[in-house]
Amino acid sequence: MRSIIAILAVIALAAVAYFVEPGFFDKLIELAASSDISQLSLHIKSYGNWSIAVSILLGTIINVSGLPTVVFSGANGLIFGFWPGVALSWVSEVLGAVVAFVLARPLLEKGASRVVERRPGWQKAYEFTAKRGFWTVFVARLLPFSPSGLINVAAAAGKISFRDYIAATALGKIPSIIAEVYLGRDLLFAANHTTRIILWIALTAVLYGGFMYYRKRSQTSEAKE
């Protein structure tokens, strides 16, 4: 029920924004997709007292659509400060994950079941999402710059429970958002933060390597069982 209320609130806020300013979404999404952190932050800030609501709405849309979140997170850090920017980005991304899951689960769950039934080799992978779905989503969310849209769709098509999905997303997103806000701000002043950017990229590569190792090891363990 709470997830339905959250979705209705987002839809209502989006409708109000559209009627007040018809070009609202076109401009924001264009800036978010352009990777121009400076211009995006200036545009969000131009809404004054409404900038927090605009930021949450935009972050929700970005997560549902699957667009990269680092530009959005970096813009929040510039506008509101580091920790408030992290908090706003976290609220937006978790809300976007809820909306995406609730919308996609009814459309994908039955279809995924039918596909798995016709391909016995996929059955173990499908069952894996029920047994270890929390840890799979949690580790995937830990990775900075991970494709949120793909994770949302994969989880909705799998057998992970809604509770585990939200818990894994809420917890896993904390460190990745902190990294994205840091890196987003650093990218704006790349000439002054070259070393730190290289370290962030190296750390991300290590995390991705760890995730691939975890997945391979889990699949091997599952096969033995």
Side-chain angles (χ1 to χ4, degrees), residues 121-143:
W122 291 10
Q123 186 65 39
K124 288 184 178 179
Y126 191 60
E127 293 296 333
F128 180 81
T129 63
K131 293 180 180 179
R132 301 184 184 178
F134 172 87
W135 290 109
T136 301
V137 173
F138 175 73
V139 173
R141 296 295 195 194
L142 281 174
L143 304 175

Side-chain angles (χ1 to χ4, degrees), residues 97-109:
V98 169
V99 173
F101 188 88
V102 171
L103 293 177
R105 172 54 68 90
L107 300 174
L108 299 177
E109 190 175 30

Side-chain angles (χ1 to χ4, degrees), residues 5-190:
I5 293 174
I7 292 174
L8 291 176
V10 171
I11 292 174
L13 187 59
V16 170
Y18 178 79
F19 283 112
V20 171
E21 185 179 342
F24 175 82
F25 294 108
D26 293 339
K27 182 64 175 178
L28 281 174
I29 293 174
E30 177 187 344
L31 288 171
S34 71
S35 300
D36 192 332
I37 298 175
S38 179
Q39 287 300 314
L40 178 61
S41 61
L42 287 173
H43 190 72
I44 293 175
K45 196 173 181 179
S46 70
Y47 287 94
N49 294 333
W50 288 96
S51 58
I52 291 177
V54 169
S55 174
I56 292 174
L57 181 58
L58 176 62
T60 302
I61 294 170
I62 287 174
N63 276 271
V64 173
S65 67
L67 287 170
T69 58
V70 64
V71 175
F72 164 74
S73 299
N76 276 341
L78 284 175
I79 300 167
F80 305 105
F82 180 75
W83 288 113
V86 168
L88 275 175
S89 297
W90 181 83
V91 169
S92 303
E93 296 203 23
V94 172
L95 185 55
V98 169
V99 173
F101 188 88
V102 171
L103 293 177
R105 172 54 68 90
L107 300 174
L108 299 177
E109 190 175 30
K110 291 183 180 179
S113 299
R114 287 195 292 268
V115 170
V116 169
E117 287 173 1
R118 293 196 296 268
R119 292 172 174 79
W122 291 10
Q123 186 65 39
K124 288 184 178 179
Y126 191 60
E127 293 296 333
F128 180 81
T129 63
K131 293 180 180 179
R132 301 184 184 178
F134 172 87
W135 290 109
T136 301
V137 173
F138 175 73
V139 173
R141 296 295 195 194
L142 281 174
L143 304 175
F145 328 118
S146 57
S148 295
L150 182 59
I151 296 171
N152 295 339
V153 170
K159 296 184 70 176
I160 185 174
S161 68
F162 178 75
R163 182 186 63 184
D164 284 351
Y165 170 76
I166 296 303
T169 295
L171 294 173
K173 270 294 180 184
I174 295 173
S176 65
I177 288 173
I178 290 174
E180 288 184 0
V181 172
Y182 252 123
L183 184 58
R185 298 199 310 175
D186 284 353
L187 287 173
L188 186 60
F189 307 102

